[in-house]
Amino acid sequence: MEPVEEDWASALAIVAHPDDLEYGAAMAIARWTAQGKKVVEVLATRGEAGIQTMPPEEVGPLRSAEQVEAARLVGVDTVEFLDFPDGMLEYGLPLRRALAQAIRRHRPEVVVSLNFRETFGPGTYNMADHRVLGRAVADAVRDASNPWVFRDLPEPAWHGVRFALFANSPAAAHFVDVGDHLETGLRALAAHRVYLAHLEGAPDQGEMVTSIVAAAGRAAGVAHAVPFERL
């Protein structure tokens, strides 16, 4: 595994749901903000379908607030929600357009997202929103740079994205050393208090994330690392 380059100043993290970043990527974000880099978070949904025992109109505001707090803990001041329906993201022009507009608006050098592959590893199947969102992010980076795509958007085309990173991909070949930011990342995960409290029967999520970054660390030759597929 190779370390992710860090000679850049701004990143845009785009994921489907509140808590997606906190399963590893937030630790890398904590490292980057500690270096003085600017990171903005954009979420396609408010995670309103994520707690089956609570109505969406209650869950959406709760999970949105939890994400804002989780972001604050890792040094992110700006969190935006695109208000697509949770659990029903569709790959297509409306999603690509919204993501391309966010990229043009924030003008990042790096885009960060979550694994869009079919699995996270043997015996798993990645959920539809993650697969759809990640593919749309990859395409929106190109869309954002083409002035002849989404010509109705008021923001000018942005050619400045150097690469995109997709956390926890089975195709990961790059890493970020997060040994000094493990606890901060775990506190950000714990900020999703209501969501985590409703994961009945699930393993301890903090222990699970720690095991993920420990395994990636062993592969990278450091104590703890977040694995990324770099495009």
Side-chain angles (χ1 to χ4, degrees):
M1 297 182 75
E2 299 180 13
V4 170
E5 304 99 306
E6 294 184 327
D7 57 339
W8 46 270
S10 63
L12 180 63
I14 309 173
V15 290
H17 317 105
D19 91 313
D20 283 351
L21 289 169
E22 282 64 55
Y23 284 85
M27 296 178 187
I29 291 173
R31 172 186 170 102
W32 295 328
T33 59
Q35 294 171 347
K37 303 183 193 304
K38 179 177 177 58
V39 181
V40 170
E41 295 181 6
V42 170
L43 285 83
T45 82
R46 292 182 181 270
E48 69 274 8
I51 301 177
Q52 295 186 19
T53 57
M54 293 178 63
E57 58 269 21
E58 292 182 20
V59 174
L62 281 170
R63 297 199 68 197
S64 299
E66 289 181 341
Q67 184 60 46
V68 170
E69 174 60 12
R72 185 191 67 80
L73 290 168
V74 296
V76 174
D77 297 325
T78 302
V79 181
E80 298 178 355
F81 298 90
L82 301 179
D83 289 322
F84 284 87
D86 184 17
M88 296 182 285
L89 287 181
E90 294 182 292
Y91 181 89
L93 294 179
L95 181 59
R96 281 172 50 193
R97 181 183 186 279
L99 300 182
Q101 185 172 24
I103 293 168
R104 290 180 182 182
R105 183 168 63 252
H106 293 290
R107 303 166 68 85
E109 296 173 73
V110 174
V111 170
V112 180
S113 192
L114 188 65
N115 173 33
F116 61 87
R117 302 294 181 178
E118 288 195 350
T119 75
F120 282 94
T124 67
Y125 189 60
N126 198 359
M127 70 177 298
D129 278 0
H130 295 164
R131 302 194 317 270
V132 166
L133 191 281
R135 287 178 56 216
V137 167
D139 289 333
V141 171
R142 180 178 286 113
D143 295 335
S145 72
N146 189 336
W148 309 125
V149 174
F150 303 127
R151 284 177 278 176
D152 60 316
L153 293 177
E155 299 86 356
W158 172 242
H159 308 277
V161 177
R162 291 174 50 187
F163 52 84
L165 298 169
F166 297 85
N168 301 329
S169 168
H174 288 75
F175 74 94
V176 173
D177 183 347
V178 295
D180 293 337
H181 303 279
L182 174 66
E183 294 304 321
T184 301
L186 292 176
R187 286 196 296 274
L189 176 63
H192 297 278
R193 182 181 57 82
V194 175
Y195 176 72
L196 295 176
H198 285 81
L199 292 181
E200 296 181 5
D204 182 278
Q205 301 298 283
E207 292 180 0
M208 184 179 75
V209 174
T210 301
S211 70
I212 291 170
V213 297
R218 289 191 293 273
V222 298
H224 296 96
V226 178
F228 287 101
E229 179 176 357
R230 179 188 184 280
L231 300 180

